[in-house]
Amino acid sequence: MTLEDLAAAMRKIDFTMLTTVAPDGGLAARPMSNNADVDYDGDSYFFALDDTQTVAEIAVNPKVGLTLHGNSGLLGKPPLFIAAAGEAELIRDKAVFVEHWNPDLERWFEQGVDTPGLVLIKVHAERVHYWNGEDQGEIRP
């Protein structure tokens, strides 16, 4: 698979598990919507609120993991699995929010990009592993 192939597959997967390092050194994971923002070039974007544990953990340790699981494969083949490791950046710039905003996000953030405490989490993947039952590999964006 190429990075472009991976991006096309990711467009069909809405939720990503975002894993951060907890204060006790353990791992903490939670589902995050990719906001249909998957013109994937190695960067993923997720909105959150500043007062969440997710944001607090990233502020202390930006190393994160992302996992995605596709729907069942064709003709009974295994689905696509994706695991990425990288670094997260916390963005608080409303102009950048607008670039990545999707109106469906107003389900969670009723005031849109004007939601108080809104933060954009940008994850830059350092490596991406994929498996689809017949093919597996690693891409370094």
Side-chain angles (χ1 to χ4, degrees):
M1 288 185 97
T2 66
L3 192 57
E4 293 77 23
D5 296 332
L6 206 52
M10 289 172 71
R11 282 186 194 93
K12 300 174 187 169
I13 305 171
D14 185 23
F15 285 93
T16 303
M17 290 299 289
L18 170 62
T19 303
T20 56
V21 179
D24 66 1
L27 300 176
R30 74 281 292 156
M32 303 287 283
S33 174
N34 67 28
N35 316 318
D37 193 359
V38 288
D39 290 332
Y40 194 67
D41 60 0
D43 294 334
S44 298
Y45 298 88
F46 309 96
F47 283 95
L49 294 174
D50 202 27
D51 63 356
T52 61
Q53 191 65 33
T54 304
V55 171
E57 290 169 357
I58 290 169
V60 172
N61 185 340
K63 293 289 186 186
V64 298
L66 302 175
T67 54
L68 298 92
H69 175 255
N71 294 330
S72 297
L74 295 174
L75 304 172
K77 293 182 180 180
L80 176 66
F81 296 91
I82 301 168
E87 286 210 14
E89 173 186 354
L90 301 173
I91 299 170
R92 294 178 174 85
D93 182 338
K94 192 186 293 188
V96 179
F97 295 172
V98 171
E99 292 174 26
H100 297 281
W101 190 256
N102 177 328
D104 291 342
L105 291 167
E106 291 172 14
R107 174 179 181 188
W108 292 283
F109 309 106
E110 294 178 1
Q111 296 177 36
V113 297
D114 295 316
T115 299
L118 191 64
V119 176
L120 181 63
I121 301 169
K122 174 184 177 182
V123 176
H124 178 71
E126 295 166 351
R127 63 177 182 244
V128 181
H129 294 270
Y130 65 87
W131 305 265
N132 70 5
E134 295 179 355
D135 187 25
Q136 63 178 322
E138 178 178 285
I139 298 171
R140 293 190 177 253

